[in-house]
Amino acid sequence: MDLFEEDEIFPLTENLSNSFVDPSNLVSCVPGQMYPIGMENFRQKKKPVQKSKSIPLTNSVTMARHRWHMAAAKLKRLKDPWTEFDLNKYPTEIVIRHRYNAIKKEWITDECKVKIEDKQFANGAMRACFRLKKLSNFVHKESWEHAANYVAKSYMDKSIERERYFDDVRLQMDAKLWAEIFNRHNPPKKIDMFQMSILEFVNRDGSPLFHLEHFIEGEYIKYNSNSGFVEDTRSTPQAFSHFTFECSNHELMVVDVQGVGDLYTDPQIHTAKGDDYGDGNLGCKGFALFFSSHVCNRVCRSIGLTEFDLSPNELDKLHSKKAQTSLASFSAATICRGGEELVVGSPTSFCEILRRRVRNMSTCSDDLESEGYESSSSSPMSPHSAKPISFNRPSQSNPIAINGARMRTQSGCLDSAFSYDEAASYFNKIDARKHFKPKPSCVNGQQRLMKHFDHFQDDDDEEENLDTQNESILGQVHLEMAKYHEMGRFTEQTNSDYDYDQESAFFHLKQAADLGLKEALVNMAKIYLQLPHDLLSNYSVTENELNNEIGFDYLTKSADLEDKNSLFVLAKAYESGVNLPKSKQIDWNLASVYYKKLLQMIDEESASEDDAGYSDTFAQCDPNYLILACLAEMNLKGGHKMPKNAAIAADLYTEAADKAIQYGKGRIANKYYMLAEEAAAAATSQDEQEP
């Protein structure tokens, strides 16, 4: 049906001479025209409106493309906001650009033409910022009016090694690859890390290095830090950090998530070993700090992440209104890295932005990077310390103003170190949803995985790290949580007489022990057996038979993990009955097994290599010659399921005497030699009595 405008009113009949209307009752308003009185004699004449010439909007893709064409027309009319700085007056310099390919783990270099300011326009705590324009490598005409706006950053401390620049880029590009893996699991909103590269000014003295980042307009927000700070107005950034922990088999976590909308920059990566990725890598301590303030949100649940186990007290605190203020006490600053400056910019290639909006992939953006910037007089780290620079209007060189908008990006871009085809080939080859299968963050899920690993292992899982050979990383995270509680890290009180949350600390210690962590097992055994312990030294449980059984079970598990002092106490318990629960009986055979295992460890260890500093106060482990003498005595006497064997006793006494001489115990050695002779005589007499 045609569209009409109601802009003209005409009489009911145009030729009144042939109508039954009395002309005397008409009022003439215009010469030659007479209008009847009464609204019933009026009608509206509808005039068709001419349609604009446009493409048929047949589907959503066509409509989206049409909108972007309209936006492109507006963008062409906008001016470069850096025109007033007249960067064209600076000389053109040829530089070497270094880009990192996170898929191939290699560096790519090429030449670029740039113009850069000679004076910084802003700086943070560590780096100075310079305006820079770069010509595209794919244009044949030097048109600096259409060159892209960038921010070049250099460390103000000239003693910083050049390798630091490359480490920073490698960290961000590795985080960018994890962002694509996250997108492959179909979260509600896609994310991306800004592209970052290095410029080497080879024609200058010393060939100085600069980080190259695109200038992005928009509101810069820090969503979390590497030390527990969480800005909980958004769910996707926190889910991304949680996701990297699970999908890396607990080997790493991307934190310090910050940026414009869902375009992130300047992250930090924690690793389980705590090495690589600079001083901001806090290892398992960093994992613990993140989970101390993270509550799984709807995005976590939508991609199948499991909740990290927190104590009831911790959950109540996080869910209460009071928690919102206490979480603010976590510093937004990046620990051990210093205050970093914040510079915000925008993508250059409008065509690339258009491709991003049409496609659903976001491996690599078009050389995007953002940190936000502020003057050196303000605090360089906190996102709330100063209002970030934001422009209301986009420009031709910086076409998109991102004011909290959620953008999807993809990697078929010119400035990226790897192409869209490389990324697609990589992910299609490995099948990201299967290859990067989340490993649970909850203790029950981890226990089930470890329990059934042998039954379900196949060729594809041979290299999968399931903590079967090393101690559980998740267990180490819980152990660090217990230590942080004891230190008062999560306590709001500031005086020296703080009372930390002992129940929460014990909860995490128990979780670590349930995951088979040796240090946790040893301390849990100490606590339940009422023995002195280093960790949670003021915590105790009720002394009863049930707790004694639990403690003995922990003791057995820690002995199976070859803890030296646990082996000694367990062997003593089966030998003498000390610390032995009522459900167990003295068993010299078992005592002999544990004693022999302990002796083997004493002989093999060097400089307490495996003690890890937590087994020195559990019980004083006797020297090897005393243990050998104890074994000899049990064999000589017999009983408690051990047959009498004087010949073995003689050999053990002789060995004990030799060890005593090595310790300089001459009198004890002579005693053992005498006992060895007596045992040998008893063995001879026993042989003669046998038929």
Side-chain angles (χ1 to χ4, degrees):
M1 182 177 179
D2 293 336
L3 300 177
F4 297 92
E5 293 182 359
E6 301 175 356
D7 57 350
E8 297 184 18
I9 301 178
F10 290 89
L12 193 61
T13 59
E14 297 181 3
N15 188 358
L16 298 181
S17 61
N18 298 324
S19 70
F20 293 96
V21 179
D22 184 2
S24 62
N25 294 328
L26 299 178
V27 178
S28 177
C29 299
V30 181
Q33 292 185 347
M34 305 187 73
Y35 295 85
I37 299 175
M39 292 303 298
E40 66 277 4
N41 291 327
F42 285 79
R43 65 176 175 87
Q44 296 176 345
K45 182 176 181 180
K46 298 181 180 180
K47 181 179 179 181
V49 178
Q50 296 293 329
K51 293 184 179 179
S52 61
K53 296 182 180 180
S54 61
I55 59 175
L57 306 182
T58 56
N59 53 58
S60 59
V61 175
T62 305
M63 294 177 65
R65 188 177 293 114
H66 176 60
R67 294 192 191 102
W68 279 107
H69 280 302
M70 295 176 63
K74 294 181 180 179
L75 291 175
K76 291 180 179 179
R77 296 191 294 268
L78 298 178
K79 296 182 179 180
D80 183 357
W82 281 7
T83 302
E84 60 179 297
F85 303 114
D86 194 18
L87 295 182
N88 293 334
K89 68 181 180 181
Y90 296 99
T92 301
E93 299 186 61
I94 298 178
V95 299
I96 302 297
R97 180 173 59 169
H98 301 266
R99 294 172 293 165
Y100 181 70
N101 188 323
I103 293 179
K104 295 182 177 180
K105 306 297 182 185
E106 64 183 18
W107 289 89
I108 300 172
T109 60
D110 59 0
E111 286 189 352
C112 300
K113 292 183 179 181
V114 302
K115 288 179 179 287
I116 184 173
E117 286 182 322
D118 54 3
K119 294 182 180 180
Q120 67 184 55
F121 73 93
N123 68 272
M126 299 186 69
R127 292 185 291 180
C129 304
F130 302 83
R131 294 185 183 90
L132 179 146
K133 281 185 173 291
K134 183 180 77 69
L135 284 179
S136 172
N137 290 1
F138 296 89
V139 298
H140 303 288
K141 181 181 178 181
E142 289 192 8
S143 177
W144 290 102
E145 291 78 8
H146 299 89
N149 291 341
Y150 287 83
V151 175
K153 299 181 184 180
S154 66
Y155 284 104
M156 293 183 290
D157 184 1
K158 301 306 179 183
S159 64
I160 291 180
E161 298 181 358
R162 293 170 67 89
E163 190 64 26
R164 174 72 176 272
Y165 285 88
F166 292 89
D167 290 341
D168 292 343
V169 172
R170 183 169 58 87
L171 186 156
Q172 181 139 328
M173 295 301 96
D174 285 345
K176 185 177 184 66
L177 194 58
W178 278 106
E180 175 56 28
I181 297 170
F182 176 75
N183 293 340
R184 290 283 170 158
H185 285 71
N186 295 323
K189 289 186 172 69
K190 299 294 192 294
I191 67 171
D192 196 8
M193 290 283 173
F194 292 125
Q195 182 73 24
M196 185 180 186
S197 58
I198 298 172
L199 292 186
E200 182 179 5
F201 286 74
V202 292
N203 295 324
R204 296 187 181 183
D205 294 338
S207 298
L209 300 178
F210 288 80
H211 282 139
L212 183 66
E213 308 162 352
H214 227 294
F215 186 75
I216 296 292
E217 294 178 306
E219 183 181 2
Y220 184 92
I221 300 175
K222 185 159 188 172
Y223 298 109
N224 63 43
S225 72
N226 72 333
S227 56
F229 166 78
V230 169
E231 202 283 323
D232 58 358
T233 59
R234 294 288 316 283
S235 298
T236 299
Q238 318 308 333
F240 172 58
S241 294
H242 187 179
F243 170 85
T244 56
F245 177 75
E246 288 203 0
C247 272
S248 66
N249 286 328
H250 304 171
E251 290 290 339
L252 61 82
M253 177 187 288
V254 180
V255 292
D256 245 0
V257 178
Q258 51 197 304
V260 181
D262 285 318
L263 299 176
Y264 306 148
T265 182
D266 197 23
Q268 176 60 49
I269 297 179
H270 295 314
T271 61
K273 295 181 180 179
D275 56 2
D276 206 0
Y277 297 121
D279 296 334
N281 180 2
L282 304 182
C284 288
K285 292 182 174 64
F287 297 161
L289 290 171
F290 172 80
F291 283 118
S292 69
S293 55
H294 173 68
V295 177
C296 279
N297 52 55
R298 56 185 180 84
V299 179
C300 294
R301 291 185 287 271
S302 70
I303 57 178
L305 302 181
T306 57
E307 293 194 18
F308 182 83
D309 295 289
L310 295 174
S311 70
N313 291 345
E314 291 172 315
L315 290 174
D316 290 343
K317 182 178 180 181
L318 288 175
H319 286 108
S320 65
K321 293 182 179 179
K322 187 177 181 181
Q324 305 306 319
T325 57
S326 66
L327 288 180
S329 64
F330 284 93
S331 173
T334 302
I335 302 301
C336 297
R337 296 177 64 193
E340 282 289 83
E341 65 279 8
L342 312 176
V343 176
V344 222
S346 86
T348 297
S349 172
F350 173 76
C351 295
E352 190 53 41
I353 295 296
L354 178 61
R355 287 198 294 270
R356 293 190 208 128
R357 296 290 295 185
V358 175
R359 298 181 183 177
N360 290 325
M361 190 175 177
S362 67
T363 305
C364 173
S365 60
D366 181 21
D367 206 2
L368 301 177
E369 163 65 10
S370 167
E371 276 188 337
Y373 71 83
E374 52 192 28
S375 67
S376 57
S377 61
S378 63
S379 174
M381 199 58 223
S382 173
H384 307 292
S385 60
K387 185 177 180 180
I389 299 298
S390 178
F391 299 91
N392 294 327
R393 297 181 62 194
S395 68
Q396 184 172 359
S397 296
N398 300 283
I400 302 299
I402 310 172
N403 296 314
R406 311 295 177 238
M407 297 185 61
R408 295 184 178 185
T409 59
Q410 64 90 29
S411 70
C413 39
L414 303 178
D415 288 336
S416 173
F418 58 87
S419 66
Y420 172 84
D421 293 335
E422 282 182 323
S425 175
Y426 171 74
F427 285 105
N428 291 336
K429 179 179 178 181
I430 63 174
D431 193 352
R433 288 183 63 85
K434 294 182 180 179
H435 185 80
F436 298 99
K437 186 179 298 183
K439 182 178 181 181
S441 302
C442 62
V443 173
N444 288 337
Q446 179 73 357
Q447 286 176 324
R448 288 194 300 269
L449 196 63
M450 296 169 65
K451 181 178 180 181
H452 298 294
F453 172 64
D454 293 333
H455 300 285
F456 296 99
Q457 185 177 15
D458 53 33
D459 295 337
D460 294 335
D461 297 327
E462 286 181 358
E463 298 181 358
E464 186 175 359
N465 176 20
L466 290 171
D467 299 335
T468 56
Q469 297 178 349
N470 302 320
E471 288 190 328
S472 167
I473 297 173
L474 186 61
Q476 294 177 27
V477 176
H478 280 285
L479 183 63
E480 295 297 340
M481 290 278 285
K483 292 179 179 179
Y484 271 132
H485 272 291
E486 188 178 28
M487 292 167 53
R489 176 66 172 81
F490 307 133
T491 304
E492 296 179 9
Q493 298 181 12
T494 57
N495 55 52
S496 57
D497 299 328
Y498 69 88
D499 184 16
Y500 70 92
D501 188 351
Q502 293 188 354
E503 293 301 326
S504 294
F506 182 74
F507 172 87
H508 289 292
L509 183 63
K510 184 179 183 302
Q511 302 301 313
D514 290 343
L515 289 172
L517 204 67
K518 186 194 295 185
E519 182 177 355
L521 287 167
V522 170
N523 280 278
M524 289 293 289
K526 294 177 183 182
I527 292 173
Y528 277 101
L529 293 176
Q530 310 297 320
L531 296 171
H533 48 281
D534 296 330
L535 192 57
L536 309 186
S537 57
N538 296 327
Y539 187 83
S540 61
V541 297
T542 304
E543 185 175 1
N544 53 43
E545 187 58 30
L546 176 61
N547 286 338
N548 194 33
E549 290 275 1
I550 296 174
F552 194 81
D553 182 58
Y554 283 125
L555 181 66
T556 303
K557 291 178 179 178
S558 59
D560 291 340
L561 293 176
E562 298 184 347
D563 178 72
K564 187 174 66 175
N565 284 327
S566 296
L567 284 168
F568 177 73
V569 174
L570 191 61
K572 272 292 182 184
Y574 279 114
E575 176 207 347
S576 62
V578 177
N579 293 321
L580 195 68
K582 293 181 179 179
S583 60
K584 308 291 183 181
Q585 295 180 349
I586 296 177
D587 190 332
W588 283 3
N589 267 332
L590 278 176
S592 176
V593 170
Y594 289 118
Y595 273 135
K596 289 178 181 178
K597 191 173 183 179
L598 176 59
L599 288 170
Q600 182 181 358
M601 290 183 60
I602 293 175
D603 291 340
E604 293 177 353
E605 75 173 3
S606 59
S608 64
E609 199 170 88
D610 299 322
D611 283 351
Y614 54 82
S615 60
D616 53 343
T617 61
F618 186 95
Q620 185 62 42
C621 184
D622 289 345
N624 51 8
Y625 62 86
L626 291 179
I627 296 174
L628 288 167
C630 181
L631 284 171
E633 184 179 0
M634 288 190 294
N635 279 276
L636 183 62
K637 293 181 178 179
H640 300 293
K641 300 181 182 180
M642 173 178 282
K644 183 177 181 180
N645 194 323
I648 295 178
D651 294 338
L652 289 169
Y653 273 127
T654 302
E655 187 179 357
D658 295 339
K659 296 290 185 182
I661 291 176
Q662 295 178 7
Y663 279 87
K665 305 293 184 180
R667 295 177 61 183
I668 295 178
N670 290 333
K671 175 183 176 182
Y672 290 157
Y673 281 130
M674 292 176 58
L675 291 173
E677 292 176 1
E678 294 176 3
T684 303
S685 174
Q686 184 178 1
D687 291 340
E688 292 176 352
Q689 292 177 1
E690 292 180 357

